[in-house]
Amino acid sequence: MNFEKFTIKSQEALQKAASIASGNQQQAIEPGHLLQAILETDENVSNYVIKKMNINESILKAKLEEIVSAYPKVSGQQAYLSPTANSVLQSAEKELREFKDEFVSVEHLLLALLATKDKISSLMKDVGFDRVGLLKVIKELRGGSKVTDQNAEAKYKSLERYSKKSK
């Protein structure tokens, strides 16, 4: 897996996921850590998606915290990607190809998390995420643009309009 093919925001989310895992004395970086990291590191895209899809953010975060705190604890070991988290990253790379993008962005990670068969996918579906709706919101967010550089998330037209409206 070539992490240079990830946007800055998705790289930050991966680093934050490792930090969340180690902060909880957990060795394996799981999909829950990744979702939690996305919500914490990329407020723009995640807030836009959550609001547009009418997701109850407080329920999402509370249930996510329950899942993350239930992961096994191990101390003194180097963090590593769990097989499930690794498959999320591989799925994100497949999403990149479907979108004909050049870099794995936060949106690809969200789609991959939703598609993975684990507790995080179930949680996302329970709070209102679905693939068709998420794809629609992503297209709206991007305003027809592709992910062609590592700072793509900062350039989305819909985010500019959205952040101006919410101020």
Side-chain angles (χ1 to χ4, degrees), residues 59-78:
I59 290 175
L60 172 64
K61 287 183 174 181
K63 299 275 187 201
L64 179 58
E65 184 58 42
E66 285 176 26
I67 292 170
V68 168
S69 63
Y71 289 140
K73 297 191 184 316
V74 179
S75 60
Q77 299 291 319
Q78 181 67 34

Side-chain angles (χ1 to χ4, degrees), residues 22-39:
S22 65
N24 286 314
Q25 298 173 330
Q26 297 160 334
Q27 187 177 5
I29 302 165
E30 298 285 355
H33 298 118
L34 185 55
L35 180 57
Q36 194 170 29
I38 289 169
L39 296 175

Side-chain angles (χ1 to χ4, degrees), residues 63-124:
K63 299 275 187 201
L64 179 58
E65 184 58 42
E66 285 176 26
I67 292 170
V68 168
S69 63
Y71 289 140
K73 297 191 184 316
V74 179
S75 60
Q77 299 291 319
Q78 181 67 34
Y80 65 90
L81 281 173
S82 73
T84 311
N86 192 47
S87 74
V88 166
L89 299 185
Q90 289 172 348
S91 293
E93 287 183 326
K94 287 180 190 145
E95 296 290 349
L96 162 134
R97 289 190 288 280
E98 282 186 36
F99 276 89
K100 296 180 175 54
D101 290 329
E102 295 175 30
F103 294 88
V104 174
S105 67
V106 170
E107 309 92 73
H108 300 127
L109 294 172
L110 287 171
L111 283 163
L113 284 164
L114 183 60
T116 304
K117 307 234 180 302
D118 78 336
K119 291 177 183 174
I120 295 306
S121 173
S122 297
L123 167 63
M124 290 175 75

